[in-house]
Amino acid sequence: MQRIHFIPADFARVRLRTTVGPLVESAFAYGLLGRGVGAPFARWRSQVGERLTQWPLPLTGGSAAPGLDGLIDLIERGGRCVGTDASTARNAPGPPFHPAAGDLSLVWRVAVAPYWEHVRAYLEAECEARGRVLMAGGVELLLTTLHSKITWRAPVLEIHDGPDEDIRLDGRGLVLAPSVFLAHRPGRVTRRLDDNGPVVLAFAAPPDTHQATGLWDEPDDSGQSLGALVGQTRAAALHALRSSCTTSQLADRLGISAAGASQHTAVLRRAGLITTRRIRNTVLHTLTPLGVALLKGISPRPAKPAAVGVPARRRPAGAAVGHREPRPVTDLTARTTPAA
């Protein structure tokens, strides 16, 4: 049993995050693939099984496999903790993954990425519901209702079916994030930062049979094409920015660090897909028309080129001889490029 110890200062530092991020969810999915699954995951398991004929992965691994706990530990020790982009896991710093764990980026591609938009929307709704609990009853009600196997005995949060250890927050606070693929454990501490950073606890929020009906729908090609074009995390950022938000809000929606969100928005801004404006001490990011068009898979209508060989227009009545009409602007860039 894991025991998370609170002090009074920690109650003011409890907050919700939409997701633990694509890499950790991929690790949870890896652990789930090696187990029997219930009805809500049966369709997902069947579809993933079909893809595994193209990308074979070691799902059970035998005695050499590190298991889910070992895999999460490898992620943390390698610097690839919450918020690392799964598409770049291969090139992340730190020691390599245990060979029995397979290439986690392939787990992402096969088992998580095809459903990521549906999963993220589900987690956003779950996070909003938990936020209403927080507003109605405070932190203690939120902690009491996380999961049937997570018990709040003030000032200790007990997570059953986990490793036997004590985690003391000591004023650092706790970030709570729901997880779709953490279905066989009530919760998992996925990140322990330095003395000034919060602890991140992923808690199980698997779908029921009704919710799973639309969760495992096969995506259309446009979402995958967008991910291939700009990267999975920046594609997810574009989807998240359908409603304008700040950098910290975007980080929470994607389950990445604020620094990572800032880097992705800088790339999207240079590409002309979003605009950023400062409001006092925060910045607000919004999709541009080009970003909206790209998200919808619609190419913006090109500007009409200047006509060639058009007859001269009739000189206006009363115009002096030798009067010249203003030449039409043919430099389209001059008309469309915004001022610096």
Side-chain angles (χ1 to χ4, degrees):
M1 176 190 300
Q2 280 183 315
R3 293 168 294 274
I4 301 178
H5 297 260
F6 284 69
I7 64 172
D10 292 311
F11 288 94
R13 294 183 173 91
V14 172
R15 64 186 181 92
L16 289 161
R17 172 175 287 177
T18 302
T19 172
V20 288
L23 184 59
V24 174
E25 281 286 11
S26 297
F28 291 157
Y30 169 84
L32 190 59
L33 284 171
R35 298 171 174 268
V37 296
F41 290 94
R43 186 178 171 205
W44 169 77
R45 186 64 179 83
S46 174
Q47 292 175 356
V48 172
E50 294 177 2
R51 296 190 190 98
L52 289 177
T53 59
Q54 303 176 28
W55 293 296
L57 296 170
L59 301 183
T60 55
S63 60
L68 177 59
D69 290 337
L71 183 58
I72 294 293
D73 290 340
L74 285 168
I75 294 172
E76 291 173 343
R77 289 204 304 270
R80 287 162 283 188
C81 51
V82 175
T84 304
D85 186 351
S87 65
T88 60
R90 187 191 308 273
N91 299 319
F97 285 112
H98 192 290
D103 186 341
L104 200 58
S105 66
L106 293 183
V107 180
W108 158 258
R109 289 166 57 189
V110 172
V112 180
Y115 313 102
W116 186 244
E117 286 306 310
H118 296 309
V119 166
R120 196 169 56 82
Y122 171 84
L123 292 175
E124 285 177 354
E126 181 72 22
C127 216
E128 289 175 3
R130 304 287 178 166
R132 289 192 291 270
V133 172
L134 177 63
M135 289 187 291
V139 172
E140 292 198 83
L141 181 60
L142 174 64
L143 298 176
T144 302
T145 57
L146 283 179
H147 192 277
S148 60
K149 292 185 178 181
I150 297 180
T151 306
W152 170 246
R153 302 182 192 276
V156 180
L157 187 67
E158 299 174 346
I159 306 168
H160 302 272
D161 297 336
D164 187 18
E165 63 176 333
D166 290 276
I167 300 172
R168 301 187 182 278
L169 299 180
D170 293 330
R172 292 179 295 169
L174 181 67
V175 175
L176 299 167
S179 169
V180 166
F181 295 105
L182 186 63
H184 65 287
R185 292 245 309 252
R188 178 65 164 82
V189 174
T190 63
R191 192 180 192 185
R192 301 173 199 174
L193 300 182
D194 56 31
D195 294 339
N196 297 320
V199 170
V200 178
L201 171 64
F203 62 91
D208 57 30
T209 304
H210 175 72
Q211 293 169 326
T213 301
L215 200 59
W216 313 129
D217 285 343
E218 291 282 4
D220 57 26
D221 292 337
S222 61
Q224 294 300 302
S225 298
L226 180 59
L229 178 65
V230 301
Q232 293 294 344
T233 301
R234 284 192 280 273
L238 285 175
H239 282 280
L241 288 172
R242 286 176 293 187
S243 57
S244 300
C245 64
T246 65
T247 302
S248 60
Q249 289 171 335
L250 180 62
D252 283 345
R253 293 178 186 181
L254 299 180
I256 63 178
S257 66
S262 180
Q263 291 174 357
H264 288 304
T265 54
V267 174
L268 294 174
R269 184 168 55 252
R270 288 195 296 268
L273 301 178
I274 68 170
T275 60
T276 300
R277 59 191 178 97
R278 180 171 293 278
I279 302 175
R280 295 185 179 179
N281 295 328
T282 61
V283 292
L284 188 68
H285 307 290
T286 307
L287 288 177
T288 64
L290 179 60
V292 173
L294 181 63
L295 200 58
K296 293 181 178 179
I298 302 173
S299 300
R301 181 177 298 177
K304 185 180 295 185
V308 178
V310 176
R313 286 185 288 180
R314 186 187 301 271
R315 187 170 67 247
V321 176
H323 168 80
R324 288 187 177 182
E325 289 290 314
R327 294 182 61 187
V329 178
T330 57
D331 184 358
L332 299 180
T333 304
R335 286 192 286 176
T336 58
T337 303

